[in-house]
């Protein structure tokens, strides 16, 4: 449950609000400790995790296909650019 909670948009937004620094942004332990962690009962946590894992297992193949498509597009782009620079188009 904690893994999913800490990776949530809500926590991310709270972390970003607490980061400071102009050239190098940083988050100190003191500011990290200010972020509240809410948690339901253990039974509710188990239900939430089961649902999230179910969603995750459904999306994993889609993400893999998407990443493979991106790689193929990048390879095609490189091939087209190489042909264009060699005057083959």
């Amino acid at each position: 449950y904690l893994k999913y909670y800490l990776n949530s948009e809500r926590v991310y937004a709270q972390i970003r609000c607490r980061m400071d620094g102009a050239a190098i942004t940083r988050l100190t332990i003191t500011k990290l400790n200010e972020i509240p962690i809410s948690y339901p009962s253990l039974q509710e946590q188990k239900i939430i995790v089961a649902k999230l894992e179910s969603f995750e297992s459904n999306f994993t193949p889609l993400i893999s296909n998407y990443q493979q498509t991106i790689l193929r597009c990048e390879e095609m782009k490189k091939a087209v650019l190489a042909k264009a620079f060699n005057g083959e188009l």
Side-chain angles (χ1 to χ4, degrees), residues 48-66:
I48 291 168
V49 169
K51 286 182 181 181
L52 290 172
E53 286 176 346
S54 173
F55 292 142
E56 198 172 62
S57 68
N58 290 332
F59 285 115
T60 300
L62 295 174
I63 292 169
S64 177
N65 288 341
Y66 177 73

Side-chain angles (χ1 to χ4, degrees), residues 9-75:
E9 289 292 323
R10 178 182 174 188
V11 173
Y12 179 76
Q14 291 179 16
I15 288 172
R16 292 293 301 165
C17 289
R18 287 171 171 79
M19 293 177 74
D20 59 6
I24 300 173
T25 56
R26 62 192 178 281
L27 179 67
T28 63
I29 288 291
T30 304
K31 290 185 179 182
L32 190 58
N33 285 333
E34 294 172 0
I35 298 172
I37 297 178
S38 60
Y39 55 93
S41 69
L42 185 57
Q43 182 63 27
E44 288 176 294
Q45 289 180 42
K46 288 178 182 181
I47 292 169
I48 291 168
V49 169
K51 286 182 181 181
L52 290 172
E53 286 176 346
S54 173
F55 292 142
E56 198 172 62
S57 68
N58 290 332
F59 285 115
T60 300
L62 295 174
I63 292 169
S64 177
N65 288 341
Y66 177 73
Q67 290 170 335
Q68 289 173 1
T69 301
I70 289 173
L71 288 174
R72 285 195 298 271
C73 288
E74 288 174 357
E75 290 170 4

